[in-house]
Amino acid sequence: MSNTIVIFLTIILLISTQSLSFSPENPSDRRILVLIDDFAIKSSHYIYFNSLSSRGYSLDFKLSHDPKLALKRYGHYLYDGLIIFAPTVDRFGGSVNQAAVLEFVDSGRDLIVALDVNSSDFIREIATECGVDFDEAPVLFRGIGQSVNPSNNLALKVLSASPSAYSSNPSKKLANAPLLTGSSISLVSVVQARNNARVLISGSLKMFSDRFLRSGVQKAGSSIGYEKSGNEQFVTELSRWIFHERGHLKAVNMRHNKKEQADEPSMYRITDDLEYSVEIYEWSGKSWEPYVAADVQLQFYMMSPYVLKTLSTDKKGHYFTSFKVPDVYGVFQFKMEYQRLGYTSLSLSKQIPVRPFRHNEFERFITAAYPYYGACFSLMAGFFVFTLAHLYSK
């Protein structure tokens, strides 16, 4: 009886675990693990956390040193996103470590990491593995500056320092020119991995706090003041992008057929006229809306592209084109690789064979061969005349 109960509970746990996985059809229906080093952060950053909860996210707050901490169980991930608001922690509890966090991102899930001037090497290493290095000196937004690796084309600067800013230790005399100056200092960086997982690296934990979200601000050198800073709008919109409420694309209903035919064939013949279509939508946070762009392209591919076409659109999410099959037979692919800054990448392919003409499909008389036909018949006529002349001549 006890074994039956254990098996039953295990099945329930597996079913509930699978239901928490990322759903491409509803990107906002997700569970987020929030790691904090003190439950006081939950109240001091209430506005930010409340904005996530109000948009349908289920937040699970846990202390970073919780001995029961885990990201996956029985081979299935328990969460769809991870927020690390514990900049000073030297290690996580339970089965969570640096490798587990990076594996979490490699699985296509999203990550937000916030740091400050007292951040531990452990947290810095996680950011470094995502392509972001930190400068040791504090900057004006009360955090630490970052230098984005220029060779990493997946990492982008979202918030940069002003052109007159520089990064150095204010307690020491500046003997040499600072290494980081101006807009090369990144304050907030993002990474979109090749599997569309998104990572946010912030140099300031206080940027998310209620105090910074509610405080007034005045631009340096200006007499104009603002009752409320733009932090709340900035971190809210940034979290929308990180958790795929913005810039999340899907492609459906990819079809191809011969011109003026509805059915999709199993193969094409060389020089056939064909039509191709696909539907692309963007998640708005609540529903799928038609995606409109003029740079979606299709390749008809075998070892290299034989045809490259820019797809037309009806501005309702439907993209289409038509072209003639190349005069080359083999196994081709309809290939659509779409990558645009700020959007999830799309990669669609469908294999299709192309055959040559059958023996009974060639034209009976080819126009270009008429001179050869004439030469053949003239030779026959000449031979007939020569034979008559030879037989009957004296």
Side-chain angles (χ1 to χ4, degrees):
M1 181 65 181
S2 59
N3 292 337
T4 304
I5 295 175
V6 171
I7 295 173
F8 179 70
L9 291 176
T10 303
I11 293 174
I12 292 178
L13 181 59
L14 286 173
I15 293 174
S16 62
T17 301
Q18 292 175 352
S19 66
L20 295 173
S21 60
F22 177 77
S23 171
E25 295 299 322
N26 190 3
S28 298
D29 185 16
R30 310 170 73 187
R31 190 177 183 190
I32 311 296
L33 173 62
V34 183
L35 297 182
I36 53 180
D37 51 12
D38 191 341
F39 277 115
I41 294 179
K42 186 176 180 180
S43 57
S44 63
H45 294 62
Y46 171 78
I47 296 177
Y48 177 68
F49 292 135
N50 185 59
S51 70
L52 295 175
S53 300
S54 63
R55 302 202 307 269
Y57 294 101
S58 176
L59 303 182
D60 186 10
F61 292 89
K62 290 190 176 182
L63 292 175
S64 57
H65 56 269
D66 189 340
K68 297 182 180 179
L69 205 59
L71 293 176
K72 64 164 58 174
R73 188 172 297 163
Y74 301 112
H76 295 273
Y77 279 104
L78 303 173
Y79 304 96
D80 304 300
L82 175 62
I83 298 176
I84 302 177
F85 278 6
T88 59
V89 67
D90 292 323
R91 59 182 295 273
F92 294 130
S95 61
V96 180
N97 51 27
Q98 180 182 339
V101 173
L102 297 176
E103 184 182 350
F104 184 80
V105 175
D106 289 338
S107 69
R109 288 160 173 81
D110 308 314
L111 171 67
I112 293 180
V113 182
L115 297 90
D116 59 21
V117 292
N118 298 317
S119 297
S120 65
D121 292 337
F122 175 73
I123 298 297
R124 290 170 186 264
E125 288 174 3
I126 294 177
T128 302
E129 289 294 330
C130 296
V132 177
D133 295 322
F134 286 91
D135 185 58
E136 295 297 328
V139 292
L140 293 177
F141 81 132
R142 304 182 86 176
I144 54 178
Q146 313 167 24
S147 60
V148 177
N149 190 340
S151 63
N152 186 353
N153 57 3
L154 303 177
L156 298 172
K157 291 182 288 187
V158 177
L159 181 64
S160 301
S162 62
S164 59
Y166 66 89
S167 180
S168 67
N169 192 335
S171 62
K172 296 181 180 180
K173 186 177 180 180
L174 190 62
N176 300 316
L179 297 177
L180 291 179
T181 59
S183 58
S184 63
I185 304 174
S186 177
L187 307 180
V188 178
S189 306
V190 295
V191 178
Q192 177 163 290
R194 290 183 176 85
N195 60 359
N196 291 326
R198 292 171 174 175
V199 180
L200 166 66
I201 309 294
S202 171
S204 172
L205 176 60
K206 293 183 179 180
M207 185 182 68
F208 298 88
S209 66
D210 293 358
R211 179 184 174 187
F212 274 50
L213 268 58
R214 290 173 176 170
S215 64
V217 65
Q218 182 174 344
K219 188 176 181 180
S222 173
S223 59
I224 301 176
Y226 301 88
E227 295 182 358
K228 188 178 180 180
S229 70
N231 282 42
E232 182 175 357
Q233 182 181 2
F234 176 73
V235 298
T236 299
E237 291 302 320
L238 201 54
S239 66
R240 290 180 188 274
W241 184 83
I242 288 293
F243 293 130
H244 294 262
E245 294 180 62
R246 294 286 186 271
H248 184 86
L249 303 178
K250 76 169 181 177
V252 295
N253 297 332
M254 184 178 75
R255 291 187 54 81
H256 59 85
N257 54 270
K258 292 183 180 179
K259 199 169 184 179
E260 299 180 353
Q261 294 185 12
D263 296 333
E264 188 172 297
S266 59
M267 72 170 58
Y268 288 101
R269 189 190 66 187
I270 57 175
T271 70
D272 273 347
D273 292 315
L274 64 84
E275 298 173 336
Y276 176 91
S277 65
V278 66
E279 295 178 11
I280 304 178
Y281 297 95
E282 179 183 1
W283 181 252
S284 66
K286 295 182 179 179
S287 61
W288 291 102
E289 303 292 340
Y291 177 69
V292 180
D295 57 352
V296 182
Q297 294 185 326
L298 169 72
Q299 300 178 50
F300 198 56
Y301 188 93
M302 184 178 67
M303 303 296 289
S304 62
Y306 279 76
V307 177
L308 179 62
K309 298 280 288 186
T310 299
L311 302 183
S312 304
T313 178
D314 60 0
K315 297 185 178 181
K316 296 180 180 179
H318 182 67
Y319 291 80
F320 55 90
T321 190
S322 60
F323 59 91
K324 187 180 290 290
V325 176
D327 193 5
V328 178
Y329 58 88
V331 179
F332 282 80
Q333 278 187 332
F334 291 100
K335 242 179 140 175
M336 192 184 79
E337 300 281 348
Y338 186 69
Q339 296 180 348
R340 188 173 180 181
L341 185 63
Y343 292 87
T344 54
S345 58
L346 296 176
S347 180
L348 300 177
S349 64
K350 184 177 285 189
Q351 190 168 283
I352 190 76
V354 174
R355 65 172 177 84
F357 284 100
R358 296 192 180 98
H359 69 281
N360 59 351
E361 291 180 328
F362 289 96
E363 295 181 29
R364 186 62 63 185
F365 294 101
I366 303 175
T367 305
Y370 281 172
Y372 302 98
Y373 299 154
C376 180
F377 285 112
S378 64
L379 179 62
M380 293 169 60
F383 179 76
F384 181 72
V385 172
F386 175 78
T387 303
L388 291 176
H390 180 72
L391 290 176
Y392 297 100
S393 63
K394 295 181 180 180

